[in-house]
Amino acid sequence: MTPELKRRMDAMCELCDEVARPACVVQAFDARQLPLDLPGNDIAEHLRDACEVVLFAVTLGHGVDRELRKLAATDSLGQVVFDAAATAAIEREASRVEAKVRLDAARRGLYCSWRFSPGYGDLPLSVQPAILRTLNATRRLGITLTPSYLMIPTKSVTAIVGVHPTPQPGLASSCAVCNLSEFCELRKRGATCGSNSRPAASR
Amino acid sequence: MANSDSIHAPKDRLESRVTRATDGYLEEVLAGQKPLLFDGGMGTMLQKAGLAAGAAPELLCLTDPTKITAIHAAYVTAGSDVVTTNTFGANALKLAEAAHAAGLVRVPTVTQVFEAAVACARAANPRYVAADIGPTGSLLRPLGTLSFDDAYDLFAEQVCAARDAGADLVVIETMADILEAKAAVLAAKENCDLPIFCTMTFGEDGRTFLGTTPEVAAVTLGALGVDVLGINCSLGPADVAPLAERMIAWSPCPVMVQANAGLPSVVDGQTVYDIEPRAYCEAVAPMLRAGVSVVGGCCGTTPEYIAGLRELIATHGPTHESRPVSTHPFVVTSAQQPFSLEAGQVGVIGERINPTGKKRLKEALRTSNYDYVLGEAIKQERAGAQVLDVNAGLPEIDERATLVRLVEELQGVTTLPLQIDSTDPAAIEAAVRVYPGKPIINSVSGKQESLDAILPLARHYGCAVVALTLDEDGIPSTAEGRLAVAKRIVAACDQQGIAREDVLVDCLTMAASTNQDAPRAILEAVHATKAELPGVRTVLGVSNISFGLPFRELLNATFLTAAFAAGLDLAIMNPLSQRFMDAVCAWRVFNGEDQGAQAYIAANAGRTDGASSAAATNASNASAAAQDAAASNVSATDPHTPADQVQSGVLEGRAETVSKATQALLSEGVDPLAIVNDVLIPALDRVGDLFEKGTFFLPQLMASAEAAKAGFGVVREVASASDVSAKGHIALATVKGDIHDIGKNIVKMLLENYGYQVHDMGRDVDPQAFVDEVVRHHIALAGLSALMTTTVPAMAQTIELLRDQAPWCKVMVGGAVLNPEYARMVGADYYAKDASEAARVAAEVLD
């Protein structure tokens, strides 16, 4: 890679940090009094024996989408790098919120399962309206939905974390519930996106 | 208007509208002479009453009306003049969703909910019932997928229901998107005669989630003719106060504030707010003094807060008798940024988005190549344009559809307000209707037909308007003649209720070469217009003056300076012309607009005569040029041939190197086609191989494609278009329901750089719209992308339509959830796992 290309990529990462306005809403519920239905076996399994259920929504804001549109018309390479940086940033934000939830639980001697989002396993995207309504996320974060239940701003995450009285196996999400597992380039190389290990191919 | 039927609005929408206030007191409120007290939070009270978060509160109007009436009654007892119906989310979209979530078999209609909600409110015996209309919950295009017309229809249904249920006024609230607010306001204007209140919600940065400021909101909503505008939700009252003051400065009508009780936090599963009633009222008091005349509460507020506000209003009264809109500056605005001009200042309207006489722009509009148009917008903004004129008048395209698309696309790349330029009233209406802000219409003339068609549009949609001083008899040759036409147009504007500062008189520039009396007549007309029609502004398209003479820029700039001296406010001109911008920059020293000549000095310090660009751009250009020079020096000493340099330049992604080496090849006499086929394409193919092997990563592939594009650009300048751009057409889209378009955009870039003509239909593309484009241009290859398993069926549907209506067209598909097997299942001919593979498919099908 030439130094110029590296500079351009760095500049896009900086631009992303500049434009992003991370914001989140977190709310914990008594597991017996959850105000919404979470359909599917996988989420039920995930939350089995949980005493609390934490819902959260996190977003980088509309500025990121606006910048992506601008780059689409002016700088294709920049758009791709910016998009990747923004995707990494929203995952980072979601992990940060998850870590905080985990810490809060640990202080009370409780344990968390990893964060589970609509679209994982058999939890359908159609649960998004109820999650956003429960968190008042449209009013508080500006998150809206398309008719196919995709969130706008596009760099947004909603997630569900179980708080349990007993330690939960594994902190990372698993390929077993991932709908992309059969297409996954990382898996073909023997790696997963949830692990910190480097892809096998580059070892 | 032949096409007006496709506008989602009643046919009599342009008739002037008289607001019907329930009684004399409300009339006085709307005139800014009396205060008005709304109620506080509904959600907060429902939560106290045990309504679970996540349930749809609107349905309670039907299932538990006594509970809702009790809440309204508590507010009436506390002193509210107005109670707001429990209908925030009662639009067809949200009701369906809420009914589904609540497990209801039958979805209640919007009419049923409003009827019940207004009845609940009336039962509490308030002075007035406000029908509450909140956002749709979906985001409008271009950032979202909801169309303006669909949003309008949702709001219109609510407005009609509120009207029929007997509400006293409509309050449109918690808007974050100025375009959505505009759709709601138009729906209210066009379907009822109730007073319209409209408020938006802002964050700590003083902007809505979509970037609108209080000034933008006040200018846009004020121009649309709402009766009261303001702020709700947002923050606590102390933080809202400075935002409200910014709004007051630009609002032509009373301003209202319904702030939250501070910031929310969750305690024991209940959302609580951190400002107590007393502190809340103390923070509202300064706003009343600053001129806010309508108040109430939002999230977290209860009857206690309202009782406090009642007391406050009793002691403070309406202190602000006349609203400070005395100086009336000229102002227009985009969704993000207003452009205003005080008397004596001069402004620049960029003229370049107009296909007349521009070959490349014509071609771009014909083939829907909007990136080129957007590039023109960005260049003009950088050069100092403050408004952009947008014209899509080409006989062979659908002007109306193109203008609407341009309005939408331009929002993505520029924050400059637009000037909608067309001779077709239907095209103008379609564009200004969906414009998120206050635009300028270009233009009306003194012809009766034009006055009748255009002025009602300017009034209804709240636009400024360019008034051409010509009529049925043509352009008067004298200043007096032009002034007479201007007076007639301004009188007609006065009659329509269009403010003087929104009328921009264009005295029409004629060529000095054909009539040397013309320049004087124009300048005198500008002067007379300013003198005899106080309040109006003047505008001129300047460049016609030099038609037929050499070195036109000198004449243009000199005439522009003279016109400024005569009283010209706004020049419609090419901001990329240095002499033009020099004249503007210099004039702003003389008229005092550029205080201390700071901008002039910054742009011109150290500049010598003959230097061609402003210092600010000079500085960055100079460093870029130095780098380029350094880079090309390396290649100058490079022992390899120019062909080698092109190849290595493409591989390393060095656009400058490729461009220079391609130039060198051309000057050696190498055939342009041979450069493309024997040098550039093989280099791109080599990059594709490296990418395939995993040696190159995506950014390198794209940098190489960019470098190759620079080479193609050089070749295209010398070779005729037919030689190098006849590589075939490809249509691309991300399918209906999917908004993940990054992969499609990468494919587009690579294909374009291989020389294909790409018709990019965007994302969330309707299957039939895609097929129509393929049929219209008889396109031989279509590419579709989908990222979600849930949107793959839309891909299959699009392909099925293609097979039926465009059987000649081959289809390739790609996206994270596809593989060769799925590609076959949805009926595609090819599966392209990445952009490089897509280029190979294109070569197989088209070359």
Side-chain angles (χ1 to χ4, degrees), chain B residues 463-539:
Chain B
C463 310
V465 61
V466 172
L468 306 182
T469 54
L470 64 86
D471 60 14
E472 284 82 359
D473 301 325
I475 303 174
S477 59
T478 63
E480 295 73 32
R482 286 180 166 111
L483 178 64
V485 178
K487 281 183 170 169
R488 274 208 310 281
I489 300 175
V490 171
C493 290
D494 287 348
Q495 207 185 355
Q496 285 274 347
I498 296 169
R500 283 281 176 102
E501 66 271 15
D502 283 337
V503 184
L504 313 173
V505 173
D506 185 340
C507 293
L508 293 167
T509 304
M510 311 285 284
S513 60
T514 50
N515 175 6
Q516 260 184 289
D517 293 331
R520 175 162 300 279
I522 300 159
L523 297 174
E524 283 175 3
V526 169
H527 184 77
T529 300
K530 290 304 283 289
E532 300 200 23
L533 290 166
V536 306
R537 303 301 148 107
T538 53
V539 63

Side-chain angles (χ1 to χ4, degrees), chain B residues 5-300:
Chain B
D5 290 342
S6 57
I7 290 214
H8 287 225
K11 291 223 182 306
D12 64 352
R13 62 187 172 278
L14 299 179
E15 303 282 311
S16 55
R17 176 180 189 273
V18 180
T19 301
R20 177 177 56 82
T22 308
D23 58 22
Y25 186 83
L26 191 53
E27 264 169 35
E28 286 182 273
V29 169
L30 301 186
Q33 292 156 352
K34 284 277 164 37
L36 189 69
L37 181 58
F38 269 67
D39 49 3
M42 170 60 74
T44 309
M45 297 294 282
L46 289 170
Q47 189 186 298
K48 279 183 197 289
L51 180 83
E58 295 80 12
L59 299 179
L60 292 174
C61 300
L62 295 159
T63 57
D64 203 350
T66 48
K67 193 178 275 174
I68 301 300
T69 296
I71 292 171
H72 290 314
Y75 280 119
V76 172
T77 307
S80 292
D81 298 313
V82 187
V83 298
T84 311
T85 57
N86 176 29
T87 50
F88 182 79
N91 65 59
L93 266 185
K94 279 190 180 172
L95 283 179
E97 190 56 57
H100 173 75
L104 299 185
V105 184
R106 286 179 57 188
V107 181
T109 66
V110 171
T111 310
Q112 285 167 339
V113 174
F114 270 86
E115 240 170 47
V118 169
C120 289
R122 278 284 174 235
N125 219 2
R127 189 159 190 173
Y128 309 111
V129 171
D132 192 31
I133 296 181
T136 60
S138 297
L139 191 63
L140 271 72
R141 294 166 60 88
L143 287 182
T145 60
L146 186 67
S147 75
F148 181 90
D149 287 343
D150 287 346
Y152 177 91
D153 289 345
L154 287 169
F155 290 126
E157 188 181 14
Q158 291 174 285
V159 167
C160 294
R163 176 198 65 199
D164 296 344
D168 296 296
L169 58 99
V170 169
V171 59
I172 296 158
E173 53 132 330
T174 322
M175 289 287 164
D177 180 357
I178 191 73
L179 185 58
E180 187 175 2
K182 182 168 177 172
V185 169
L186 286 175
K189 261 180 99 159
E190 293 168 355
N191 294 286
C192 77
D193 55 4
L194 301 177
I196 303 167
F197 292 46
C198 182
T199 57
M200 299 191 74
T201 178
F202 300 86
E204 279 167 9
D205 59 354
R207 289 178 178 269
T208 68
F209 288 124
L210 281 122
T212 287
T213 62
E215 290 86 356
V216 168
V219 169
T220 306
L221 298 173
L224 283 171
V226 301
D227 295 286
V228 175
L229 60 84
I231 302 174
N232 78 306
C233 207
S234 311
L235 310 156
D239 294 320
V240 166
L243 305 180
E245 286 188 34
R246 286 164 61 185
M247 244 180 182
I248 289 167
W250 291 100
S251 175
C253 60
V255 169
M256 91 187 257
V257 170
Q258 292 186 286
N260 286 347
L263 293 173
S265 55
V266 178
V267 178
D268 298 333
Q270 296 273 302
T271 305
V272 296
Y273 287 78
D274 63 357
I275 300 179
E276 297 296 317
R278 192 185 163 139
Y280 185 93
C281 293
E282 275 168 14
V284 170
M287 284 194 270
L288 292 176
R289 288 195 289 275
V292 170
S293 59
V294 181
V295 289
C298 199
C299 303

Side-chain angles (χ1 to χ4, degrees), chain A residues 4 8 66 74 79 133 148, chain B residues 53-54 210 378 654 706 737 745:
Chain A
E4 287 95 319
R8 281 178 70 182
R66 192 183 303 284
T74 54
Q79 181 200 12
R133 202 164 48 233
S148 44
Chain B
L210 281 122
I378 291 165
R654 293 184 196 276
E706 257 180 22
N745 292 348

